[in-house]
Amino acid sequence: MTDTDMRQGGGAAIPQPSDEIIALYRQHVPDYLSELMAAVDQNDQEKVMFQCHKMCSAMRTMGFDNIAEILEEIQRDKPECDALKELTSRVETLVNHTLLLLDK
């Protein structure tokens, strides 16, 4: 699979990530997610924002726009503790789902 491979989705052609990009995603995103969840547990807003920014790029590169949008919402709205935990829990579930799908 190459960068120029395309798949059809919703009527628009979407670039298919290369095998190298997928491997990098699988290698780094679990650490990014762990760092995000730790920052949330520590209530470290600065680290939360940094991790969301870092993860957002990875999600957009892979075409996981729904996850990127949640991460952008966190960055934009800077939600309080309970709302932040709910949003990051959704991110965690979705990211873990992407990793399971990529393992198939």
Side-chain angles (χ1 to χ4, degrees):
M1 179 177 341
T2 68
D3 290 278
T4 57
D5 288 341
M6 304 294 267
R7 69 175 186 257
Q8 292 297 318
I14 302 169
Q16 184 78 350
S18 68
D19 290 341
E20 181 180 355
I21 296 294
I22 292 170
L24 287 170
Y25 179 88
R26 292 171 68 190
Q27 178 182 358
H28 294 288
V29 166
D31 292 335
Y32 295 170
L33 182 61
S34 293
E35 292 166 5
L36 172 62
M37 300 311 286
V40 170
D41 288 342
Q42 296 164 1
N43 198 26
D44 187 330
Q45 191 75 2
E46 187 176 322
K47 285 183 183 176
V48 168
M49 295 304 120
F50 177 74
Q51 292 304 325
C52 285
H53 179 76
K54 190 164 58 170
M55 287 184 71
C56 190
S57 296
M59 297 306 125
R60 292 274 184 215
T61 298
M62 290 293 292
F64 300 136
D65 292 339
N66 57 334
I67 303 171
E69 289 170 7
I70 297 169
L71 293 164
E72 289 170 347
E73 178 182 344
I74 293 169
Q75 292 176 82
R76 180 186 64 244
D77 297 345
K78 297 175 180 53
E80 295 299 320
C81 190
D82 289 340
L84 178 61
K85 286 184 179 185
E86 180 183 330
L87 289 168
T88 54
S89 178
R90 286 175 49 205
V91 168
E92 181 179 37
T93 298
L94 292 168
V95 168
N96 285 331
H97 187 70
T98 67
L99 293 167
L100 286 173
L101 290 173
L102 290 172
D103 284 342
K104 288 187 177 188

